[in-house]
Amino acid sequence: MMGSVEQNKGGMHLDDKALLAVRDGLGGALASAGSALSGMLNRQVSLREEGVEQGVFGALRVPELGESLAFQVTAGDDAEQKGLVLLPQDDMRQVLGILMGGDPAAMEGMPFDEMNMSAAMEVVGQALDAAAGALAAHMGRPVRFAVEQGVAVDSPAEFAALLPAGRPLLSLTGVQSIRDVLEGRLCCLIPAELGLALADSQSEPA
């Protein structure tokens, strides 16, 4: 077995080897999402992983992103397996500016009304489709993500309500860059069940 997973009252705990395997798989998924965005925007987009932590919400470190967008994501068919994709609002404004064929800088201050939030959800959804495909190839089993909603938030307290209380999570932090346009940070809060399945898929056969 490549690593081990312990179940305790706080939920799932991956040992160092298992967490490294999970980090490798999620890093590849993030890179695939960047490739999908490159094709969508016709720009060189890079998404790279910085680190993965495990714990429950409140104990996990979440990078300071300022005014952000929180996209609630369901993994698979279990409605309780919810996670979040967190992105700075200004970064998404520039992405939408490129997508709409305009000057990214001209989108400064654009409100995330129903139409713009729908467009942002479509961008995130396509990136997650690519990430799911990479994970499915890595794990040898189907993986599916669905973006349920997007919310503009200013602080972690505001997006806490979008997560099931007390459930263990993985926190994936990363860097997103679009050549000559932006470089910023992102964070994905991932249901621990997906991490468990990813770690198990990398176990060596007996």
Side-chain angles (χ1 to χ4, degrees):
M1 178 127 176
M2 181 167 286
S4 68
V5 181
E6 299 175 2
Q7 296 286 346
N8 52 45
K9 291 182 179 180
M12 182 192 74
H13 179 76
L14 298 167
D15 71 11
D16 289 344
K17 288 184 179 180
L19 191 60
L20 185 62
V22 169
R23 183 173 178 177
D24 180 62
L26 293 178
L30 200 59
S32 293
S35 296
L37 292 176
S38 293
M40 185 191 308
L41 301 177
N42 197 27
R43 298 283 185 105
Q44 184 177 331
V45 180
S46 171
L47 300 180
R48 60 186 187 273
E49 172 264 335
E50 276 191 325
V52 175
E53 295 184 5
Q54 57 188 327
V56 294
F57 183 76
L60 287 169
R61 287 181 294 177
V62 176
E64 177 54 56
L65 301 177
E67 293 184 339
S68 306
L69 298 175
F71 298 93
Q72 186 185 59
V73 178
T74 300
D77 297 322
D78 185 349
E80 288 299 310
Q81 289 192 32
K82 293 188 185 299
L84 293 178
V85 175
L86 304 170
L87 300 166
Q89 291 184 22
D90 284 342
D91 288 3
M92 181 56 77
R93 288 186 180 102
Q94 294 187 72
V95 168
L96 294 182
I98 296 170
L99 195 60
M100 295 173 185
D103 178 4
M107 306 299 283
E108 183 177 355
M110 178 196 75
F112 282 95
D113 55 18
E114 184 176 353
M115 181 179 71
N116 291 329
M117 186 63 82
S118 177
M121 289 174 63
E122 178 65 21
V123 169
V124 173
Q126 291 200 34
L128 287 174
D129 284 346
L135 285 172
H138 192 78
M139 299 167 66
R141 50 160 279 187
V143 177
R144 183 178 63 83
F145 298 124
V147 182
E148 301 292 337
Q149 62 176 312
V151 180
V153 296
D154 295 323
S155 70
E158 293 183 57
F159 60 72
L162 300 174
L163 292 167
R167 289 180 72 90
L169 299 165
L170 296 175
S171 173
L172 167 67
T173 56
V175 175
Q176 55 180 338
S177 63
I178 302 177
R179 187 174 182 180
D180 300 327
V181 177
L182 69 85
E183 180 158 336
R185 304 189 75 193
L186 60 87
C187 181
C188 300
L189 298 177
I190 300 164
E193 292 88 348
L194 179 60
L196 174 60
L198 185 51
D200 283 348
S201 74
Q202 300 309 297
S203 300
E204 297 175 355

